Amino acid sequence: MALIFSYLRKYRVAAFAALFMLLLELVVELIQPYLIQKIIDDGIQQENLSVVWMWGGVLLVSAVIAFAAGISSSFYAAHASQGFGADLRESLYERVQSFSYAVFNRFATSSLIIRLTGDITQLQDTVFMGLRFATRVPLVVIGSVIMALVVNVQLGLFLALTVPILLLFIFYVMKKVSVMFRTVQKRLDEVNGVAQENLIGIRLIRVFVRMGHEIERFGQSIHRLMTSTMAAQRFAETTMPFIMLVMNASILLILWFGRNDINVTGDATMGEVVAVVNYAVRTMGSLSMLSWIVATISRANASRHRISEVLQTDENGIGNAKGKDTSASSQAMATGKSYTLKDSVEYEQVDFSYPGSDLHVLEKVSFKARAGDRIAIMGATGSGKTSLVQLLLRLYDPDQGVIRIDGNNIEKYPVGDLRGFIGYVPQEAVLFTGTVRENIAWGNPQASDEEVKEAARKAQIHQTIEALPNGYDTLLGQRGVNLSGGQKQRLSIARALVRRPQILILDDSTSALDVKTEAALLHELTQLSCTTFLITQKISSTSSADLILLLDEGRLIAKGTHHELMQDSELYRRIYESQFGQEERYA
């Protein structure tokens, strides 16, 4: 709780101003029934019109003051709550961005979206409600009880004895409903997860004619959410009829005994009875809001727990590591100067398994790639190819072994600087809503228009872009929906090339290219002065590589040039024959 609401400190002046105005409003409102008593007893009962006008004027002025104070309180409460929500959302997003890949995978994407939007909005609204309404309710109740006792002790006791019973019941409901709304938030995550999967895979769903199945699956998740929400809300709403029953009974007792005190004993006046009933009605009105307040606070408590879970997640240090090293290369990287790979990239006895899994993805992998070499990585699905390059990017760290750049352990380099001189093209091309130019320049925001076009030429996409309706200013749809798979891949490659990387990683990112385009692209890469890691299944891509790594179930079973592997590796020969053997046989 302290962690979340520490974000409110920045707006404490506005929060205190909201509370001060609220107190002023309450003081004025609590005096009003007392003024009505004076008008009845000293004015109407005594047939003294001057007293009626005097206290009536005071009552009118107090109403104006209460109205102005209420408006001011709402203004300051809105300022504090909106600022609190904006800062918390920014901090949570920054926290998510700092996560290592391993930590990020602990949370479903749909769940993070809900936490960044719905959960924070829930807390933001609760802060406003707390400054404007939740604080008002107990003050109105306490103030009304005190003023009722001041006006008439005997009649005020009925109200003083009723309120504690209601408060105990309300606190019990709040505790139960809080747990129930946590379940509601989990169900909401499920609904958003199903919706996200369906929207991303809408083409596949239609091709496989699975619309009915997915509609039914979404309907089931919606039904579970509806059931959980209704159960929580039904329980929360039980506060309202109970409060009304008890408070109406209290008002009836006040009226019954008040009539007796007026007519028989003379211990009360008509104005006192009206004032006490007025305070009882105000108390009932405030307590009746508690069903809404209980539901809101319960939802907010569930949201607070979910946001705190992200903010307090243990970080393993990869995502924002600040390693220190005094080597010349590290100093150049740390100062932001362009870094040039001079020697090699080396893996030494590297073991790796994903967090929470005992399965070894990589086992005792060792190789050395010289600066400027092209390294082709081959292997069956699940052999560890992508994991191998993810370790170089420090998306994960190896369990054992060392990865070196120019002889220095990469763990000593600041992660941001390490990734700054690496160009990475993932298996799945990821594009953002915006223009073609913006998508390419996303890899290097300082790139000039000519540098963007040069990167596009090298990626074999320049002519395609020029043929688009608005050229480089053509607006792409979400995830590049208006481009083909090969066009997306080439744009992603251009984005990596515009960085002028010292190390270029292509993770099976030429799979959608035809042979001619791929050959032209590989030829352009030979003109670059960067070390290239190319994950591929095509022999045509590996034949000109300086070093080929052949992986099988996480083990490096062969390495060398194309000529060397054709002589020494039976598996490589089988792969070659499966792709080219038949053509050669008929040549």
Side-chain angles (χ1 to χ4, degrees):
M1 183 70 77
L3 173 64
I4 295 296
F5 288 100
S6 64
Y7 291 91
L8 196 56
R9 290 174 189 163
K10 180 179 176 181
Y11 304 96
R12 56 183 178 272
V13 174
F16 286 139
L19 292 174
F20 175 78
M21 290 298 175
L22 174 64
L23 287 173
L24 177 60
E25 180 187 20
L26 286 176
V27 168
V28 174
E29 286 186 359
L30 289 172
I31 292 175
Q32 288 174 348
Y34 182 77
L35 296 176
I36 293 173
Q37 177 212 333
K38 289 290 186 182
I39 293 172
I40 293 173
D41 290 342
D42 298 344
I44 297 175
Q45 291 284 77
Q46 302 299 323
E47 298 183 355
N48 189 337
L49 192 59
S50 62
V51 171
V52 173
W53 280 108
M54 181 183 70
W55 290 116
V58 173
L59 185 63
L60 179 61
V61 171
S62 69
V64 173
I65 293 173
F67 175 77
I71 293 295
S72 300
S73 178
S74 294
F75 171 80
Y76 287 116
H79 175 72
S81 62
Q82 292 293 325
F84 160 82
D87 290 350
L88 181 58
R89 185 173 283 111
E90 182 179 2
S91 180
L92 187 65
Y93 186 75
E94 183 179 348
R95 179 63 175 163
V96 170
Q97 287 286 347
S98 75
F99 281 165
S100 67
Y101 210 56
V103 174
F104 182 80
N105 285 338
R106 296 181 196 173
F107 302 94
T109 302
S110 57
S111 177
L112 288 175
I113 291 173
I114 292 297
R115 295 177 204 227
L116 281 163
T117 54
D119 284 333
I120 290 182
T121 299
Q122 187 68 48
L123 286 177
Q124 179 178 289
D125 293 344
T126 304
V127 168
F128 178 81
M129 184 199 69
L131 294 173
R132 191 70 189 98
F133 300 110
T135 307
R136 174 190 176 88
V137 167
L139 293 176
V140 168
V141 172
I142 294 170
S144 294
V145 170
I146 293 173
M147 289 301 296
L149 291 171
V150 168
V151 171
N152 189 295
V153 175
Q154 291 179 335
L155 297 178
L157 280 174
F158 289 107
L159 192 58
L161 294 174
T162 302
V163 168
I165 298 173
L166 293 175
L167 290 178
L168 287 174
F169 173 72
I170 288 166
F171 288 138
Y172 166 76
V173 172
M174 186 181 298
K175 184 177 180 181
K176 289 288 186 180
V177 170
S178 180
V179 176
M180 298 175 76
F181 273 115
R182 286 192 190 181
T183 303
V184 170
Q185 295 301 96
K186 289 180 181 178
R187 298 299 188 200
L188 186 59
D189 282 347
E190 292 177 9
V191 170
N192 281 274
V194 174
Q196 185 182 34
E197 288 177 356
N198 275 261
L199 293 174
I200 291 174
I202 188 67
R203 293 182 180 178
L204 191 64
I205 292 170
R206 291 182 177 180
V207 169
F208 278 78
V209 196
R210 298 288 287 173
M211 292 85 75
H213 169 75
E214 293 302 328
I215 289 172
E216 182 180 354
R217 189 162 73 99
F218 185 73
Q220 289 173 351
S221 63
I222 285 289
H223 184 265
R224 287 193 291 269
L225 172 62
M226 180 186 71
T227 302
S228 299
T229 304
M230 288 177 62
Q233 289 182 340
R234 273 199 304 264
F235 195 77
E237 289 297 328
T238 58
T239 57
M240 185 64 176
F242 185 77
I243 289 171
M244 296 293 290
L245 175 65
V246 174
M247 286 304 303
N248 281 321
S250 176
I251 292 173
L252 287 174
L253 290 173
I254 292 170
L255 290 171
W256 178 270
F257 286 96
R259 183 188 67 85
N260 186 65
D261 287 347
I262 293 172
N263 297 332
V264 180
T265 64
D267 292 335
T269 65
M270 186 178 295
E272 289 174 347
V273 174
V274 171
V276 173
V277 169
N278 200 315
Y279 285 123
V281 171
R282 288 172 184 267
T283 302
M284 182 172 65
S286 295
L287 291 176
S288 65
M289 293 178 61
L290 279 178
S291 60
W292 168 62
I293 292 174
V294 165
T296 303
I297 292 178
S298 298
R299 279 180 174 271
N301 192 42
S303 297
R304 175 195 62 81
H305 177 79
R306 286 156 52 81
I307 292 171
S308 296
E309 185 181 11
V310 177
L311 291 175
Q312 296 176 338
T313 295
D314 292 333
E315 175 60 72
N316 60 15
I318 296 176
N320 53 0
K322 299 292 181 182
K324 295 181 180 179
D325 187 56
T326 56
S327 66
S329 58
S330 181
Q331 289 175 0
M333 291 163 65
T335 55
K337 298 177 182 178
S338 60
Y339 177 77
T340 303
L341 183 65
K342 301 179 180 67
D343 185 13
S344 63
V345 176
E346 182 180 5
Y347 282 58
E348 181 181 339
Q349 296 293 301
V350 170
D351 285 359
F352 173 67
S353 57
Y354 285 101
S357 172
D358 296 328
L359 179 65
H360 284 279
V361 179
L362 297 172
E363 294 185 56
K364 307 299 180 186
V365 175
S366 297
F367 69 89
K368 186 173 184 178
R370 296 170 302 178
D373 280 357
R374 183 195 299 171
I375 300 92
I377 306 172
M378 297 190 71
T381 300
S383 60
K385 305 185 295 298
T386 296
S387 301
L388 188 73
V389 295
Q390 286 182 342
L391 296 181
L392 183 59
L393 287 160
R394 290 204 69 200
L395 296 177
Y396 300 95
D397 275 341
D399 301 330
Q400 293 183 16
V402 179
I403 302 174
R404 297 187 180 91
I405 292 179
D406 284 343
N408 302 304
N409 189 332
I410 64 171
E411 293 185 6
K412 295 183 179 180
Y413 294 133
V415 171
D417 293 336
L418 172 68
R419 295 170 183 166
F421 68 82
I422 297 177
Y424 175 57
V425 185
Q427 285 178 313
E428 181 182 358
V430 178
L431 300 177
F432 302 94
T433 301
T435 65
V436 172
R437 177 182 285 101
E438 289 168 345
N439 268 274
I440 296 176
W442 192 86
N444 179 11
Q446 284 75 44
S448 65
D449 284 350
E450 186 52 43
E451 287 173 324
V452 168
K453 291 180 180 179
E454 181 62 23
R457 290 188 187 98
K458 291 178 180 178
Q460 309 302 305
I461 191 67
H462 174 69
Q463 291 182 348
T464 302
I465 296 173
E466 289 288 319
L468 292 174
N470 296 307
Y472 281 83
D473 293 320
T474 300
L475 189 66
L476 298 182
Q478 190 176 32
R479 300 174 63 88
V481 68
N482 46 342
L483 297 178
S484 69
Q487 290 169 340
K488 291 179 187 178
Q489 284 189 339
R490 284 178 284 164
L491 272 182
S492 296
I493 293 170
R495 176 194 297 157
L497 294 180
V498 81
R499 295 168 69 86
R500 298 185 180 276
Q502 291 299 306
I503 298 175
L504 177 63
I505 298 174
L506 303 175
D507 188 355
D508 201 17
S509 49
T510 62
S511 57
L513 304 186
D514 59 73
V515 176
K516 182 179 178 181
T517 303
E518 183 184 31
L521 171 64
L522 294 177
H523 175 73
E524 286 292 343
L525 295 182
T526 61
Q527 309 304 311
L528 302 178
S529 59
C530 66
T531 304
T532 304
F533 287 83
L534 174 64
I535 295 177
T536 183
Q537 299 290 351
K538 301 178 183 178
I539 293 293
S540 59
S541 302
T542 66
S543 57
S544 60
D546 299 292
L547 176 65
I548 302 171
L549 306 177
L550 189 57
L551 296 174
D552 184 36
E553 295 184 352
R555 299 186 307 275
L556 181 58
I557 60 173
K559 60 182 177 181
T561 63
H562 171 73
H563 180 72
E564 291 169 343
L565 292 185
M566 285 294 291
Q567 291 183 331
D568 301 334
S569 173
E570 181 181 352
L571 176 59
Y572 187 80
R573 284 196 302 272
R574 288 205 306 268
I575 296 173
Y576 178 85
E577 289 171 2
S578 69
Q579 296 183 24
F580 293 106
Q582 191 163 359
E583 288 86 340
E584 288 195 352
R585 192 174 297 121
Y586 288 98

PDB file of all heavy atoms in Angstrom, residues 480-492:
ATOM      1  N   GLY A 480       2.061  -4.045 -39.673  1.00  0.00           N
ATOM      2  CA  GLY A 480       2.377  -4.125 -41.094  1.00  0.00           C
ATOM      3  C   GLY A 480       1.434  -5.012 -41.868  1.00  0.00           C
ATOM      4  O   GLY A 480       1.830  -5.726 -42.795  1.00  0.00           O
ATOM      5  N   VAL A 481       0.141  -4.930 -41.525  1.00  0.00           N
ATOM      6  CA  VAL A 481      -0.837  -5.841 -42.097  1.00  0.00           C
ATOM      7  C   VAL A 481      -0.980  -5.686 -43.615  1.00  0.00           C
ATOM      8  O   VAL A 481      -1.403  -6.617 -44.301  1.00  0.00           O
ATOM      9  CB  VAL A 481      -2.207  -5.644 -41.408  1.00  0.00           C
ATOM     10  CG1 VAL A 481      -2.811  -4.292 -41.752  1.00  0.00           C
ATOM     11  CG2 VAL A 481      -3.175  -6.773 -41.748  1.00  0.00           C
ATOM     12  N   ASN A 482      -0.607  -4.505 -44.152  1.00  0.00           N
ATOM     13  CA  ASN A 482      -0.762  -4.277 -45.585  1.00  0.00           C
ATOM     14  C   ASN A 482       0.504  -4.630 -46.378  1.00  0.00           C
ATOM     15  O   ASN A 482       0.664  -4.216 -47.517  1.00  0.00           O
ATOM     16  CB  ASN A 482      -1.166  -2.827 -45.870  1.00  0.00           C
ATOM     17  CG  ASN A 482      -0.334  -1.824 -45.085  1.00  0.00           C
ATOM     18  OD1 ASN A 482       0.318  -2.166 -44.102  1.00  0.00           O
ATOM     19  ND2 ASN A 482      -0.360  -0.578 -45.517  1.00  0.00           N
ATOM     20  N   LEU A 483       1.412  -5.417 -45.768  1.00  0.00           N
ATOM     21  CA  LEU A 483       2.619  -5.865 -46.463  1.00  0.00           C
ATOM     22  C   LEU A 483       2.669  -7.389 -46.482  1.00  0.00           C
ATOM     23  O   LEU A 483       2.086  -8.058 -45.618  1.00  0.00           O
ATOM     24  CB  LEU A 483       3.875  -5.327 -45.771  1.00  0.00           C
ATOM     25  CG  LEU A 483       4.069  -3.808 -45.740  1.00  0.00           C
ATOM     26  CD1 LEU A 483       5.340  -3.472 -44.980  1.00  0.00           C
ATOM     27  CD2 LEU A 483       4.120  -3.228 -47.149  1.00  0.00           C
ATOM     28  N   SER A 484       3.412  -7.932 -47.443  1.00  0.00           N
ATOM     29  CA  SER A 484       3.605  -9.381 -47.503  1.00  0.00           C
ATOM     30  C   SER A 484       4.656  -9.799 -46.475  1.00  0.00           C
ATOM     31  O   SER A 484       5.369  -8.966 -45.909  1.00  0.00           O
ATOM     32  CB  SER A 484       4.060  -9.793 -48.901  1.00  0.00           C
ATOM     33  OG  SER A 484       5.382  -9.317 -49.151  1.00  0.00           O
ATOM     34  N   GLY A 485       4.784 -11.118 -46.270  1.00  0.00           N
ATOM     35  CA  GLY A 485       5.774 -11.618 -45.316  1.00  0.00           C
ATOM     36  C   GLY A 485       7.192 -11.240 -45.699  1.00  0.00           C
ATOM     37  O   GLY A 485       7.994 -10.819 -44.865  1.00  0.00           O
ATOM     38  N   GLY A 486       7.522 -11.368 -46.995  1.00  0.00           N
ATOM     39  CA  GLY A 486       8.870 -11.015 -47.446  1.00  0.00           C
ATOM     40  C   GLY A 486       9.157  -9.532 -47.304  1.00  0.00           C
ATOM     41  O   GLY A 486      10.278  -9.129 -46.966  1.00  0.00           O
ATOM     42  N   GLN A 487       8.169  -8.696 -47.570  1.00  0.00           N
ATOM     43  CA  GLN A 487       8.352  -7.243 -47.419  1.00  0.00           C
ATOM     44  C   GLN A 487       8.574  -6.876 -45.960  1.00  0.00           C
ATOM     45  O   GLN A 487       9.399  -6.018 -45.637  1.00  0.00           O
ATOM     46  CB  GLN A 487       7.138  -6.519 -47.983  1.00  0.00           C
ATOM     47  CG  GLN A 487       7.031  -6.594 -49.498  1.00  0.00           C
ATOM     48  CD  GLN A 487       5.695  -6.099 -50.019  1.00  0.00           C
ATOM     49  OE1 GLN A 487       4.701  -6.039 -49.289  1.00  0.00           O
ATOM     50  NE2 GLN A 487       5.646  -5.770 -51.308  1.00  0.00           N
ATOM     51  N   LYS A 488       7.831  -7.512 -45.066  1.00  0.00           N
ATOM     52  CA  LYS A 488       8.028  -7.265 -43.635  1.00  0.00           C
ATOM     53  C   LYS A 488       9.449  -7.644 -43.216  1.00  0.00           C
ATOM     54  O   LYS A 488      10.105  -6.914 -42.467  1.00  0.00           O
ATOM     55  CB  LYS A 488       7.022  -8.066 -42.815  1.00  0.00           C
ATOM     56  CG  LYS A 488       5.581  -7.625 -42.938  1.00  0.00           C
ATOM     57  CD  LYS A 488       4.697  -8.520 -42.084  1.00  0.00           C
ATOM     58  CE  LYS A 488       3.227  -8.225 -42.295  1.00  0.00           C
ATOM     59  NZ  LYS A 488       2.366  -9.129 -41.491  1.00  0.00           N
ATOM     60  N   GLN A 489       9.916  -8.801 -43.700  1.00  0.00           N
ATOM     61  CA  GLN A 489      11.258  -9.244 -43.332  1.00  0.00           C
ATOM     62  C   GLN A 489      12.315  -8.258 -43.823  1.00  0.00           C
ATOM     63  O   GLN A 489      13.247  -7.908 -43.083  1.00  0.00           O
ATOM     64  CB  GLN A 489      11.525 -10.633 -43.911  1.00  0.00           C
ATOM     65  CG  GLN A 489      10.823 -11.755 -43.151  1.00  0.00           C
ATOM     66  CD  GLN A 489      11.265 -13.126 -43.606  1.00  0.00           C
ATOM     67  OE1 GLN A 489      11.788 -13.297 -44.710  1.00  0.00           O
ATOM     68  NE2 GLN A 489      11.054 -14.121 -42.756  1.00  0.00           N
ATOM     69  N   ARG A 490      12.172  -7.795 -45.061  1.00  0.00           N
ATOM     70  CA  ARG A 490      13.173  -6.870 -45.599  1.00  0.00           C
ATOM     71  C   ARG A 490      13.139  -5.511 -44.890  1.00  0.00           C
ATOM     72  O   ARG A 490      14.187  -4.891 -44.692  1.00  0.00           O
ATOM     73  CB  ARG A 490      12.963  -6.699 -47.099  1.00  0.00           C
ATOM     74  CG  ARG A 490      13.470  -7.903 -47.904  1.00  0.00           C
ATOM     75  CD  ARG A 490      13.220  -7.747 -49.379  1.00  0.00           C
ATOM     76  NE  ARG A 490      11.822  -7.993 -49.721  1.00  0.00           N
ATOM     77  CZ  ARG A 490      11.263  -7.641 -50.861  1.00  0.00           C
ATOM     78  NH1 ARG A 490      11.961  -7.005 -51.783  1.00  0.00           N
ATOM     79  NH2 ARG A 490       9.989  -7.914 -51.098  1.00  0.00           N
ATOM     80  N   LEU A 491      11.959  -5.051 -44.497  1.00  0.00           N
ATOM     81  CA  LEU A 491      11.884  -3.811 -43.718  1.00  0.00           C
ATOM     82  C   LEU A 491      12.568  -3.993 -42.362  1.00  0.00           C
ATOM     83  O   LEU A 491      13.254  -3.092 -41.872  1.00  0.00           O
ATOM     84  CB  LEU A 491      10.431  -3.403 -43.512  1.00  0.00           C
ATOM     85  CG  LEU A 491       9.783  -2.540 -44.593  1.00  0.00           C
ATOM     86  CD1 LEU A 491       8.352  -2.190 -44.207  1.00  0.00           C
ATOM     87  CD2 LEU A 491      10.583  -1.259 -44.820  1.00  0.00           C
ATOM     88  N   SER A 492      12.376  -5.154 -41.751  1.00  0.00           N
ATOM     89  CA  SER A 492      13.023  -5.428 -40.468  1.00  0.00           C
ATOM     90  C   SER A 492      14.543  -5.466 -40.626  1.00  0.00           C
ATOM     91  O   SER A 492      15.288  -4.999 -39.750  1.00  0.00           O
ATOM     92  CB  SER A 492      12.530  -6.764 -39.904  1.00  0.00           C
ATOM     93  OG  SER A 492      11.149  -6.713 -39.624  1.00  0.00           O
TER      94      SER A 492
END
